[in-house]
Amino acid sequence: MAQIFHRSSNSLAKVSIAGTLLGLSGLVWAAYEINAGAFITNVAVAREQPVPFSHKHHVTDDGIDCRYCHTSVETSPFAGLPPTETCMSCHSQIWTNAAMLEPVRASFRTGQSIAWTRVHDLPDYVYFNHSIHVNKGIGCATCHGRVDQMPLTYAVNTLYMQWCVECHRNPEKYVRPREQVFNMAYEAPADQLEQGRRLVTQYKIQSLTDCVTCHR
Amino acid sequence: MEEERVATLDPGPDKVIGPGHDFKSVTEKIGGVVFMPFVRTPRQLFIGFAVAFVLVNLFLVAVTWLFARGVGVWGIVIPVAWGFAIVNFVWWIGIGHAGTLISAILLLLKQDWRTSINRFSEAMTLFAVACAGMFPILHLGRPWLAYWLLPYPNTMWLWPQPRSPLIWDVFAVSTYASVSFLFWFTGLIPDFATMRDSARQSWARKIFGVLAMGWRSSAKHWARYQKAYLLLAGLSTPLVVSVHSVVSFDFSVSILPGWHTTIFPPYFVAGAIYSGFAMVLTLAIPVRRWYHLEDMITMRHIECMSKVMLGTGLIVAYGYGMEAFMAWYSGNQFERFMYWNRAWGGHYWWTYVLLIFCNILIPQALWSRRVRMSVPAVFAIALVVNVGMWLERFVIVVTSLERDFMPSAWGRYYPTFWDIATYAGTIGVFLCLMFLFIRGLPAISMFEMREVVHHEEPSHAHGD
Amino acid sequence: MKEPKYWRSLEELQQSESFRRFAEDEFADRTPDWNDPASRRRFLRVMGASLALGGAAACTKQPKETIVPYVRQPEEFVPGKPLFYATSIMSAGLATGALVESHLGRPTKVEGNPDHPASLGATTPQMQATVLTLYDPDRAQTVTHNGNIDTWGNFVTALAAVRDVADLKKGAGLRLLTGTITSPTLAAQIGEILAAFPQARWHQWEPCGSHTEYAGSVAAFGKAWNAVYRLNRAARIVSLDADFLDPWFPGSLRYTRDYTAKRRDAAQNSTEAPRLYVAESAPSITGGMAEHRFRMRAADIESFAEGLVEGASDPRQHALLKDLEDHRGSSVVIAGRYQQPRVHAIAHLLNERFGNIGSTVIYTDPVEANPTDQVASLRELVAEMRSGAVEALLILGGNPVYDAPADLNFLEALQHVKLRAQLGLYYNETAEWCHWHVPEAHTFESWSDARAWDGTASIVQPLIAPIYNGKTPHEVLGVLLNQADRSAHDTVQDFWRAQHKGTDFSDFWQIALHDGLIAGTAFPEQAPPAARIPEATAASSGVEISFRPDPCVGDGTSSNNAWLQELPKPCNKMTWDNALWISAKTAERFNLGTGDIVELSQAGRKLRGPVWIQPGHADESLTIHFGYGRTRAGRVADGVGFNAYALRASGALWHGAGAQMKRISHGYSFATTQHTQTMEERDPFRLATVDEYRSHPDFARPEGQRVTKDLTLFPMWNYPKYKWGLSIDLTACTGCNACMVACQAENNIAVVGKEEVAKGRHMNWIRLDRYFSGPVDDPQMYFQPVPCMHCEDALCELVCPVAATVHSGEGLNEMVYNRCVGTRYCSNNCPYKVRRFNFYLYSDWYTRSLYGGRNPDVSVRSRGVMEKCSYCVQRINEAKIGAEKEDRPVRDGEIITACQQACPANAIVFGNLNDPESEVSRRKRQQRDYSLLEELNTHPRTTYLARLRHPNPDLEKG
């Protein structure tokens, strides 16, 4: 009776064993990568905005402090987004008829708010408080990156839980002196760990990893 | 006229195979079932399959509705937060026990009577475990997150909580499922080869060829094969004990009166084997009849299995006794109340009474040889035991939860239509797979039967 | 000491036939439903479209969200931080001060106003629920004319026409109908109108107002006085059907606070405990607190009171009188509004006789702007309407078609009126029969003022612009006064400007707005003349019917509030229903059982309703509650229960004899949150008399029962900084339910509907267990609030496979919704069964109007996750962050849980157990402290202080 299979099928069979293993682990790896990738997290993706607002221009060129617009960052969970009024306090004087700024003027005329697209968007079951982080010496740039160098704003961190927890477990790696919090250009010193540990004790920073710290 | 054939074919209680069989006849008889032309399939198979298939569709409807609305469609409430789903889970897992026991432990114990039933009791195990495996996922409030029970690297930097028995379950059940599958498949390989060689159509040859994985029954193959098979048997023997012990931890680790008991592991394992054998009998008896395999699944098999049922049944009875005794002996007011509530004062006292009848009283009939020798009687008892073992799980899960510590929080459990539909559905799934198996694959191990022939009547083993 | 034998209800004591049925199915309220479509429909009505696949996608990609800043941001406003405004909430015309929390301009939570004498920081369940009413999608949303959508402008024109006619005819044919009015501004406006149109008339009808109080005072003193009680001075309290702890009693919050303060003080510092005697027909929470409860028909209370005056006939009165005699000046007799004026007169007389006037009870001018006999007033109006004398009727608030006494046949009369206009929060039964309907502004949308029960003028100021362009009564009356464009704010402010002597009005006004009241406006004490008792009325016999406002939804104004509908009635834990309360004996006599539907008739009027056998109810008497049987309330209340007003006669407002009952059918299923009727020999609730406590200080936790912490294999946690704990004082808890609704409002707890409650799927994080003890027909009733115990060795934490419920570094038992997969194992393993599960998508994700009322600091749970009391962790975190920023530890009392804040009895205290000086630590150090199921070795953080009673030895013997 003729052979049913060609003799090559022997080796094929052997290969298929390894192939299955590799294939499966490959799938897991792919899933992990996609989940961490820009498609899901929007990291490094400049979001479409009604007005192409440039932090680079306003912070680096004009030297405006973060708190000029994000007024409640030191006192409230929410950093605060400037009301149209704030924009107009300058733009009623300069660039008064730049087409780019029409939405702002329109908003001021009509009383209709500008609808910005969220760049840093935590899930609704995560409760983040800006004020406590700022007060404990976590710099803006630590989470938001060099916003002062972004023509259009984008996120530099995934804001995934592992990213938060990494700092909550080892604050000393990231904490900086309070007076440096709003300094975008701040460079961590060589002895960051040492200084970090000092600041952690000085600012009574607890590494809070209870679930209810963020979830309730 | 059927009766006659039984009489003529069945060699009686001391033989594991009918007279006049040689290697060829065994192979043809078993293989013949698979190559039997579609139209000549026994009528009962078609009917059985049709019924099972309807149930499968019911299952699909029930699950769709469940996923659309949420577990609220079931009767579960606070405090009775576990209902049919868990009951069925434990029941199916229990049934899944006989397979491994028969194939592994009886193999190691060199019980020749296991040979003709091990193949499909292993199949039964697989399908039962498949049904069982569905429930833990279905019963989740958010089933789409079931994968969180697996330890895998994730962006939350979270692992499962290892102190929870449910996590132990995940491993116990998945291990059991995979090992059982290996065992079953390995056992099939030489037969696949036989099928491959005796198949007429080329597509059949191809399929069986792939499954046979290039088996040439060379002496070398056989030598390695025996080793591997024994190893697997050794590997799965502890599983028989471990799986249901772990399942029993789901209950015994909690603090609930009626769950929080040290006797649970042994008593669950015994119960599992009990129900497992009951199910094997429930399946074997009709199959042997439809396919006229009375000369291969002989009264010897049926009697041995009846004895095992009797034995394990007594262990289970001891378990019940101990529960009652400890409830009294502990002097703990909650334990005592639990037992009173379960057996007498509760809403579901009748389930307990029924359970005692099904699992303890009725099976005692098996002491009598006449009963063991009567196929219908054994079949009936097997069915009763299946029911009884389901009731046992129901009693444990529901009556314990209905009334625990704070009377202000006591509740009541009413199963809904969807509870029942889901349960019936899995029975359908199970039967469907079973029917497909006995039609499409050699339901009895051919090569092992040949060994049996070799031992039983070496004279005309090779035909003269 | 003798162990009081508790039982949960009747069958093990009651073996009578009528109770068989009750006992057969332990669940009188439960019939197996195999998903019958009817129940599903009802469920969906309440839940909205929860059929959708609740969050089926496990995919984590976030949808694009926008963020919308102000155009011009208010100054005092800090984004992300709530603001609190002082305002007042009305109940039957009386104001109670409240502080309302507002997030981004959305009122989300009501707290009591600590500066307000009627609140002192506490709230009633109804006050808590006002938030939900504000966002109720069923509120009237537009002006209607003959049922068609119309405009405010057109209404003004129409009303102006009425005014012009009235100008000519001096107001003849113009009638105003309002509820009880205490608002000085509104009263002034009405005054102006009556002055301008001398022929016009102002009628008042408040279905559950203080009719009998004033009638009683008139009978006793010849003039209407307002009695205010000083329970902080009362060592002996006699209540003649006065349910003064119930939210519907004027000043109840204050009375609860004063009374329970004395009880707690007695238990803590062994000062003399107050003793409460209550004579009542239907069980009430006041009766539950009583040392001695005299169960009698409402009609018999009059003769009982008489006995106290004419010298006692039976031993009970003897002992009582003696006690009062021993406490001259420190005792008080309170008559309830459900009693005849004569009983009130007797109470006045007794207080006078025992020298209580001026000490425990003081008299002031009436709080109502116009304390008329409202029944007469309404009767007169009806007569005039029928005679056709009324051309234009302006109804401000209220719902007379639904709640006017049945014998007046208000509806029929109303139809003789040519122009009928109503201002109302809902398009209700009355609106249906009015030509014009104007949506009324909700309290939180209004400028107004009102007086508290002691006369304190309280400010009502808006927190949000009217959502549906609602109008206040001030604006509507403004039209009649030719001031159509005058805002309510101006009207109110101008009134007070006129009142205010001095130049610094703006400061005065600012302070008033800040405090929510105008300081020093409480009415001064007056000396009434000697009281006399009017002639006795004919004593009635036969089965009597008593009428009561429902303990939850009240007189019907808040029927459409799902929080209150699902709130269990304190005495029988029933939700979503009213019923005929009846005693065991009487039920037996009529061969009735719980769930039987009877036709109840009195004086030719009929209604149908289900029977509920209520332990402790008087025999030959039955009680029905208002607030149900609404037909035009909204999706929540329509068709729920039966309308008790249908039997109410203007002659017998609160109780009347001559009731017949006919059994129609049986098997009506109630939905109670506490299914079990029997109480096994277990002791979750522990109590002793004051004397027993003195002799056995450890009665709550005898040596034998104690468990030490080292009985565990796991290492105990250590809590370096904070160690949160809760203590609940059962001596103080009255069972008023305030904590339950407060918790619901604070934690976005979903409503599940009657069928789900009946199944046992209610969601309240804190429940109030109710226990009975003593003889079946006249038991003692006790309440025990049960939140999560936050065990040190938490059984739930052990069994969760995904670590969704874990122990925090401060001893909280955390529940992480977004990690929960819903195995429900934690609930099975929780011996206290305090965990709640979202079997369906219970939270209403689809009714947009409800979004505004949710607490933004708490996740809205989705389908398939477990939830439970979190000790208000959002408040803990906020306080901790605040403290951290100021670089100091959290102060004691800085964190107040929602239940604690609402509690008028100060029964609940939360705090840091690591701080020995914290209030909670001090409470837990008392010997009365014990924990539930201590023998299970769970070490609950929530513990209880056993209840102390102070019975009269003379009566205890009997």
Side-chain angles (χ1 to χ4, degrees), chain B residues 76-355:
Chain B
I76 45 175
V77 300
I78 303 294
V80 189
W82 282 0
F84 266 37
I86 300 299
V87 175
N88 301 339
F89 165 69
V90 181
W91 187 67
W92 278 121
I93 283 282
I95 287 170
H97 262 59
T100 332
L101 183 94
I102 292 171
S103 358
I105 296 185
L106 298 190
L107 175 76
L108 299 178
L109 299 178
K110 304 233 175 336
Q111 295 293 322
D112 57 355
W113 61 268
R114 71 177 266 285
T115 311
S116 58
I117 52 166
N118 69 335
R119 173 67 46 78
F120 75 73
S121 51
E122 283 167 28
M124 181 199 76
T125 297
L126 279 183
F127 305 151
V129 171
C131 292
M134 283 189 283
F135 280 106
I137 295 170
L138 293 183
H139 108 293
L140 291 182
R142 303 201 290 172
W144 55 91
L145 296 178
Y147 64 94
W148 280 358
L149 273 76
L150 302 171
Y152 71 102
N154 58 60
T155 58
M156 297 172 282
W157 272 9
L158 282 176
W159 297 109
Q161 202 271 99
R163 291 189 300 170
S164 167
L166 295 185
I167 291 297
W168 312 341
D169 258 8
V170 172
F171 291 104
V173 174
S174 51
T175 316
Y176 187 66
S178 37
V179 171
S180 314
F181 174 76
L182 281 179
F183 206 94
W184 177 70
F185 187 79
T186 320
L188 268 165
I189 288 177
D191 284 1
F192 280 137
T194 320
M195 307 301 293
R196 173 195 60 199
D197 303 341
S198 48
R200 289 170 197 74
Q201 307 88 335
S202 68
W203 59 266
R205 279 208 295 280
K206 282 224 163 17
I207 294 172
F208 286 117
V210 171
L211 294 170
M213 299 177 105
W215 177 268
R216 293 191 308 284
S217 36
S218 66
K220 195 153 133 224
H221 277 188
W222 278 115
R224 289 192 180 149
Y225 181 83
Q226 295 293 3
K227 264 206 207 67
Y229 204 59
L230 273 177
L231 278 177
L232 273 175
L235 198 62
S236 42
T237 306
L239 287 179
V240 179
V241 182
S242 73
V243 182
H244 227 59
S245 306
V246 171
V247 170
S248 78
F249 292 161
D250 291 350
F251 303 102
S252 48
V253 163
S254 86
I255 195 173
L256 205 67
W259 286 14
H260 185 54
T261 328
T262 44
I263 198 174
F264 263 23
Y267 143 49
F268 264 53
V269 172
I273 299 164
Y274 192 31
S275 58
F277 271 88
M279 187 54 92
V280 176
L281 279 166
T282 323
L283 297 172
I285 288 171
V287 171
R288 129 189 224 267
R289 176 76 163 270
W290 297 339
Y291 280 133
H292 314 311
L293 294 173
E294 288 88 352
D295 54 351
M296 301 211 168
I297 304 175
T298 68
M299 282 321 286
R300 172 90 195 282
H301 299 99
I302 293 177
E303 186 180 14
C304 291
M305 289 195 272
S306 312
K307 285 176 178 166
V308 176
M309 264 171 62
L310 189 54
T312 47
L314 289 172
I315 304 179
V316 170
Y318 173 79
Y320 298 159
M322 266 306 138
E323 272 190 321
F325 172 74
M326 288 313 293
W328 166 77
Y329 186 67
S330 68
N332 176 316
Q333 98 180 96
F334 301 116
E335 289 288 334
R336 287 184 173 183
F337 175 84
M338 176 278 296
Y339 198 80
W340 172 85
N341 177 55
R342 178 178 285 183
W344 188 257
H347 317 105
Y348 281 120
W349 62 270
W350 54 272
T351 56
Y352 189 79
V353 175
L354 212 57
L355 141 73

Side-chain angles (χ1 to χ4, degrees), chain C residues 509-699:
Chain C
W509 187 241
Q510 280 311 316
I511 294 167
L513 293 187
H514 173 272
D515 300 350
L517 56 87
I518 290 156
T521 45
F523 286 151
E525 180 176 348
Q526 313 257 12
R532 39 174 211 80
I533 310 176
E535 285 318 304
T537 48
S540 64
S541 63
V543 179
E544 74 171 7
I545 306 178
S546 301
F547 302 92
R548 296 276 187 277
D550 181 83
C552 300
V553 302
D555 57 8
T557 44
S558 42
S559 296
N560 205 52
N561 189 307
W563 289 353
L564 295 177
Q565 286 285 2
E566 198 150 300
L567 183 65
K569 329 271 181 221
C571 301
N572 58 8
K573 298 292 151 196
M574 181 195 297
T575 64
W576 290 101
D577 263 313
N578 60 342
L580 280 64
W581 290 17
I582 183 172
S583 82
K585 266 207 193 60
T586 317
E588 206 172 337
R589 193 162 79 75
F590 288 86
N591 183 28
L592 293 172
T594 291
D596 289 0
I597 297 173
V598 300
E599 183 174 76
L600 180 63
S601 53
Q602 186 186 33
R605 290 180 294 276
K606 287 181 166 41
L607 64 73
R608 284 183 183 194
V611 168
W612 176 273
I613 290 166
Q614 180 64 42
H617 197 286
D619 299 333
E620 296 307 301
S621 163
L622 56 89
T623 303
I624 53 181
H625 294 86
F626 299 133
Y628 284 88
R630 298 289 308 271
T631 53
R632 289 304 295 264
R635 73 192 72 178
V636 174
D638 283 352
V640 177
F642 59 86
N643 180 3
Y645 288 111
L647 279 193
R648 193 189 202 188
S650 57
L653 276 186
W654 297 109
H655 56 83
Q660 271 97 37
M661 279 184 284
K662 189 151 115 278
R663 179 139 169 271
I664 304 289
S665 65
H666 61 86
Y668 185 87
S669 62
F670 294 102
T672 65
T673 58
Q674 199 171 295
H675 290 322
T676 308
Q677 303 293 336
T678 54
M679 176 73 196
E680 308 308 313
E681 276 63 36
R682 306 177 184 188
D683 57 356
F685 189 100
R686 303 180 188 171
L687 86 164
T689 66
V690 173
D691 305 341
E692 286 164 341
Y693 182 41
R694 294 225 174 77
S695 48
H696 305 75
D698 67 341
F699 77 95

Side-chain angles (χ1 to χ4, degrees), chain C residues 87-91 94-98 116 118-119 122 127 253 451-452 458:
Chain C
T87 182
S88 311
I89 296 174
M90 246 60 70
S91 159
L94 294 176
T96 309
H116 195 281
S119 160
M127 287 169 71
L253 288 174
R451 291 197 181 278
S458 318

Side-chain angles (χ1 to χ4, degrees), chain B residues 64-83 85-86 136-150 152 154-156 158-167 170 248-256 259 332-335 337-338 340 347 397 401-420, chain C residues 8 24-27 30-35 40 43-44 50-58 60 673-676 678-682 684 714 717 756 759-762 767 769-771 784 786 795-803 806 817-825 827-833 835-842 862-866 932-933 935-936 938:
Chain B
T64 313
W65 182 241
L66 172 74
F67 284 169
R69 293 283 328 268
V71 286
V73 302
W74 290 342
I76 45 175
V77 300
I78 303 294
V80 189
W82 282 0
I86 300 299
I137 295 170
L138 293 183
H139 108 293
L140 291 182
R142 303 201 290 172
W144 55 91
L145 296 178
Y147 64 94
W148 280 358
L149 273 76
L150 302 171
Y152 71 102
N154 58 60
T155 58
M156 297 172 282
L158 282 176
W159 297 109
Q161 202 271 99
R163 291 189 300 170
S164 167
L166 295 185
I167 291 297
V170 172
S248 78
F249 292 161
D250 291 350
F251 303 102
S252 48
V253 163
S254 86
I255 195 173
L256 205 67
W259 286 14
N332 176 316
Q333 98 180 96
F334 301 116
E335 289 288 334
F337 175 84
M338 176 278 296
W340 172 85
H347 317 105
V397 171
L401 282 169
E402 274 196 343
R403 297 166 152 196
D404 61 345
F405 295 97
M406 297 279 290
S408 57
W410 286 354
R412 177 124 191 223
Y413 175 74
Y414 293 95
T416 66
F417 167 75
W418 299 108
D419 281 300
I420 293 156
Chain C
R8 245 284 173 35
E24 302 279 77
D25 184 2
E26 184 182 56
F27 293 59
R30 183 74 172 82
T31 50
D33 79 83
W34 299 67
N35 289 15
R40 200 151 56 245
F43 171 76
L44 288 174
S50 64
L51 258 168
L53 265 158
T60 54
T673 58
Q674 199 171 295
H675 290 322
T676 308
T678 54
M679 176 73 196
E680 308 308 313
E681 276 63 36
R682 306 177 184 188
F714 291 111
W717 303 86
E756 293 295 287
K759 288 197 185 95
R761 294 175 176 178
H762 55 279
R767 64 172 196 262
D769 289 354
R770 178 227 45 208
Y771 297 93
Q784 180 170 40
V786 183
L795 299 156
C796 47
E797 294 167 3
L798 182 71
V799 295
C800 176
V802 292
V806 291
Y817 315 120
N818 44 303
R819 177 66 175 173
C820 179
V821 297
T823 67
R824 304 181 296 285
Y825 199 172
S827 170
N828 288 349
N829 211 26
C830 172
Y832 310 97
K833 290 287 177 285
R835 293 179 155 263
R836 303 281 172 250
F837 188 69
N838 292 271
F839 289 92
Y840 291 118
L841 183 62
Y842 287 139
S862 86
R863 166 191 138 190
V865 302
M866 192 61 73
L932 284 179
L933 300 173
E935 61 269 42
L936 295 184
T938 53

Side-chain angles (χ1 to χ4, degrees), chain A residues 35 39 75-76 78 83-85 113-114 116 118 121 123 125 127 131 135-136 204 206 210-212 215-216, chain C residues 60-62 65-71 79 81 806 809 814 816 818 856-859 877 881 884-885 887:
Chain A
N35 193 37
F39 171 70
T75 53
S76 154
F78 176 51
T84 315
E85 239 178 353
S113 299
I114 309 172
W116 301 94
R118 272 189 169 282
D121 188 7
Y125 49 76
Y127 292 85
S131 62
N135 279 273
K136 293 282 183 178
K204 301 206 187 65
Q206 320 146 39
D210 290 335
C211 304
V212 290
H215 304 300
R216 7 171 163 127
Chain C
T60 54
K61 179 157 173 75
Q62 294 237 42
E65 282 183 18
T66 56
I67 180 168
V68 182
Y70 280 85
V71 175
K81 285 214 167 245
V806 291
E814 312 167 317
V816 192
N818 44 303
D857 296 332
V858 179
S859 308
N877 287 359
I881 287 172
E884 286 288 329
K885 282 191 277 185
D887 196 6

